[in-house]
Amino acid sequence: MSEQHMDHTDEREELHELLKVRRDKLQDLYDLGIDPFGEKFERIHTAKEIFDRFDVLEEQETKISGRIMSMRTHGKASFADLMDHTGRIQLYFRVNTLGEEQYALLEKLDIGDIVGITGKIFRTRRGEISVEVQEMKFLSKSLRPLPAKWHGLKDVDLRYRQRYVDLIVNPGVREVFETRSKIIQIMRSFLTERGYVEVETPTLHVIAGGASARPFTTHHNTLDMDLYLRIAPELYLKRLLVGGFDRVFEIGKMFRNEGMSTKHNPEFTMCELYMAYGDASDMMSITEELYAHVAQELFGSMKITFQGQEIDLTPPWPRKPMLDAIKEYSGVDLRGLDDEQARLAAKEKGLDVEPNATFSQVLDEFFDAFVEPKLVQPIFITDHPVEVSPLAKRKKDDPSLTDRFEPFIVTWEVGNGFTELNDPIDQDQRFRQQMEQREQGDDEAHMMDEDYIRALEYGMPPAGGLGLGIDRMVMLFTDSPSIRDVLLFPHMRPRS
């Protein structure tokens, strides 16, 4: 038997013994007529309130509740740390205060148990603000011990799989998700103050549209039809512009059946917004203003630190055409090349491209290899090819390109926006070109949406549109290097 296998066997046996001890204590409580899983408890104060208002609350009675995180026994006096959602506070148990019977119940108390405490607020001789316990009620007996070596990043995989335990033993994790909530609240206020109306559009789509991505499929039994989990809300939101809404936005979940990485999760959150009578320049302004506003609200500054590097979000951010950026960072000018010439240029730079790769696909390879790693400070990359931008309006001075942009920060693409294509004839042709790509094996190419074409034929005003990834925004503002750090329950491969 290997040493590693022996260690796992020992750990399982130790865990089994700990579980048995807790089950025995559970039965002891039942035998004493005590409900280990108690009822409603009327809390008066939180731990933070007691610390913040101690000068007023000293010597007053309180009722607090939370989870026991540590215990220390010294004969006829014991101490414990109780944690609620605001922080920790010390509990002081004294046999003279509780009586022998109540004090003996401490033997049935385990780290992880949730209790309700009635007691007096005071400061110990060592100066620590505490609660002297007068009565303790069991509210939830913890039947499984908290992992003793959980702290830090000892088992990142386990932390993500059992987020509920991660939140218990690593309080800083909760702060990340509280910040996430604040960011979304700030975004909502920012947009509604500018006249945007928040709407909700379907999550189940008949056609997977609004982005180039592989969708998840499902089946509606009553209608006996296949449906797709949405990859973007774009086409529904633009239907609302046709219907007369002037400015709309939606914050919601998107689903793309694609790869996973530190920056990608198959289920993610986006904010999409559309502005009638606007264009891409308006959307770039909103992007930089929104990021700067969130930073100012959270930190009081437009300069933040991510992974030890200062990032300046102060508007305006520079704008650089994609082809110019590729020429600057790779030394190769791809302008005017056909597909074969582009493939040859890629080969000369050591890029591995498919034998039948198109110019646009080669462009993406150049950008990913030479440009993206350089885009640390905020910047807009503009003027994307028509072939990879089926919903964006063409540039007047170069119809092969579109009035589209992608904002980049710390080398990540954090959004996508453009002047919306409102010409139904051009849109129909673009969809048909995308369908040809699908027939050639590109399952991420856009599907044909006849109803969306019909909507455009009624007339959609010129408009600007923008999609922003919420998860990456939260990663940036919480200094989190992995998307799993900002998702409460990230998707994980099942353990074998």
Side-chain angles (χ1 to χ4, degrees), residues 252-267:
K253 291 286 189 182
M254 309 300 146
F255 308 87
R256 297 182 183 179
N257 198 356
E258 299 172 339
M260 298 173 65
S261 72
T262 56
K263 297 183 294 182
H264 298 87
N265 195 66
E267 175 183 346

Side-chain angles (χ1 to χ4, degrees), residues 227-295:
L227 295 170
Y228 303 96
L229 294 181
R230 69 177 174 188
I231 57 176
E234 178 169 344
L235 301 189
Y236 280 100
L237 291 173
K238 289 195 287 192
R239 284 173 169 92
L240 296 180
L241 297 186
V242 173
F245 278 85
D246 201 56
R247 299 183 180 192
V248 293
F249 78 97
E250 181 171 11
I251 296 175
K253 291 286 189 182
M254 309 300 146
F255 308 87
R256 297 182 183 179
N257 198 356
E258 299 172 339
M260 298 173 65
S261 72
T262 56
K263 297 183 294 182
H264 298 87
N265 195 66
E267 175 183 346
F268 61 100
T269 305
M270 278 186 65
C271 173
E272 285 210 11
L273 58 113
Y274 292 86
M275 174 184 181
Y277 310 106
D279 64 7
S281 63
D282 295 304
M283 296 298 101
M284 283 189 273
S285 295
I286 286 176
T287 302
E288 61 193 6
E289 288 169 11
L290 175 58
Y291 263 89
H293 178 70
V294 171

